[in-house]
Amino acid sequence: MSSAAVVIIAILTLAAALAAATLQKLMHATLSFAVALVGVAGLFFLLGAEFVGLVLVFVYIGAVAVLIVFTILLTRRDVGKERAANWGGAFLAVAVFGGLTWAILKTQSVAVVAPHIRLVTVKRIGEALMTSYVWPLQCVGLLLTAALIGALVLVMEEKP
Amino acid sequence: MTPTLQLFLVISAALFSIGLLAALSRRHAIFILIGIEMMLAAANLNFVAFWRFGPQTQPPIGVMIAIFSIAIAAAEAAVGLALVIAVYRHYRTTNVDHLNQLKG
């Protein structure tokens, strides 16, 4: 893991995220959002969490981005003009970033380099999911089922 | 030169702020959802970074939390987009400024 690779991927990610937050066309913003998530997955790869990076690509780009594109196409007739830039939101975002960065740079205990760690294989993750994380796993399964049913109920045609 | 934890935390803070900017300054409901997803991705980056730079644990707690958080984010996105479609059917708009019927 070298600093240069991290910085290059971070610049790419943040530029794509900024484009997603500021572009006027919804479709362009969604594609920039997908690029930003590829960048985040790249950072996960550099951090040694390859499985999380792959899950992020599968779930976000394979499912969430495609879902957003479907929603844009289904609500296409709505072409209302966006109101002029909201400076309050921009000011708050800059203030949050400034505060967080100040706190991070002031904290001495986070200025550490990465220790050597054992590789996180899919086997280890699967064993953890099936032993100590079996209850959270079941809860996530229940949550996903509830979300599926809830989404279906929300978009069902209303009976007259 | 190897990167420190600070670098990842600053990247994550920047991504969170951009997500906050998208969620606060856009008037289109889908943009707001995109902003929320970006903030969740920043939180996941923090989990994995703290796991990588912290003491070793068995099982890898940061990785497990990131995986669960991604699953929950997917459920949230599905319900959120369903809400957008339901609102669009009812009001013929997805601009959150026009959804003011419950406004006091």
Side-chain angles (χ1 to χ4, degrees), chain A residues 21 23 47 60 78 115 155, chain B residues 5 17 26 37 52 89 94 97:
Chain A
L23 280 179
L47 281 168
Y60 272 94
D78 180 36
V155 296
Chain B
L5 177 55
S17 308
R26 305 309 289 256
E37 294 293 329
R52 180 68 181 81
R89 278 220 188 110
T94 49
D97 272 350

Side-chain angles (χ1 to χ4, degrees), chain A residues 4 35 40 66 105 116 130 147 158:
Chain A
V35 173
V40 175
V66 173
L105 295 181
H116 277 286
M130 281 299 135
E158 285 165 32

Side-chain angles (χ1 to χ4, degrees), chain A residues 136-154, chain B residues 71-72 74-76 78-79:
Chain A
L137 187 72
Q138 301 296 326
C139 290
V140 166
L142 192 67
L143 178 86
L144 286 174
T145 313
L148 180 72
I149 296 170
L152 277 176
V153 167
L154 274 175
Chain B
I72 292 168
E76 173 257 320
V79 175

Side-chain angles (χ1 to χ4, degrees), chain B residues 26-55:
Chain B
R26 305 309 289 256
R27 301 265 66 86
H28 201 289
I30 296 172
F31 274 124
I32 295 175
L33 268 174
I34 288 179
I36 292 171
E37 294 293 329
M38 274 199 270
M39 289 195 270
L40 278 166
N44 284 339
L45 186 58
N46 257 1
F47 277 128
V48 174
F50 272 112
W51 160 76
R52 180 68 181 81
F53 287 85

Side-chain angles (χ1 to χ4, degrees), chain A residues 19-135:
Chain A
T22 53
L23 280 179
Q24 280 299 315
K25 282 234 168 78
L26 259 178
M27 201 62 91
H28 297 172
T30 309
L31 295 179
S32 310
F33 171 64
V35 173
L37 287 173
V38 172
V40 175
L43 288 176
F44 283 171
F45 271 87
L46 284 179
L47 281 168
E50 287 90 356
F51 186 67
V52 185
L54 279 177
V55 166
L56 192 86
V57 169
F58 289 155
V59 170
Y60 272 94
I61 294 153
V64 173
V66 173
L67 211 58
I68 292 176
V69 170
F70 266 110
T71 312
I72 293 169
L73 294 178
L74 283 172
T75 59
R76 194 146 210 191
R77 279 179 28 210
D78 180 36
V79 285
K81 270 302 248 187
E82 281 251 326
R83 209 175 56 185
N86 181 344
W87 292 110
F91 175 75
L92 194 64
V94 170
V96 166
F97 177 62
L100 284 176
T101 310
W102 175 78
I104 290 164
L105 295 181
K106 278 286 258 196
T107 310
Q108 287 306 311
S109 55
V110 298
V112 291
V113 293
H116 277 286
I117 54 163
R118 247 175 73 209
L119 208 61
V120 183
T121 56
V122 180
K123 182 165 177 278
R124 266 179 75 195
I125 293 175
E127 276 169 359
L129 275 180
M130 281 299 135
T131 52
S132 43
Y133 285 89
V134 69
W135 280 110

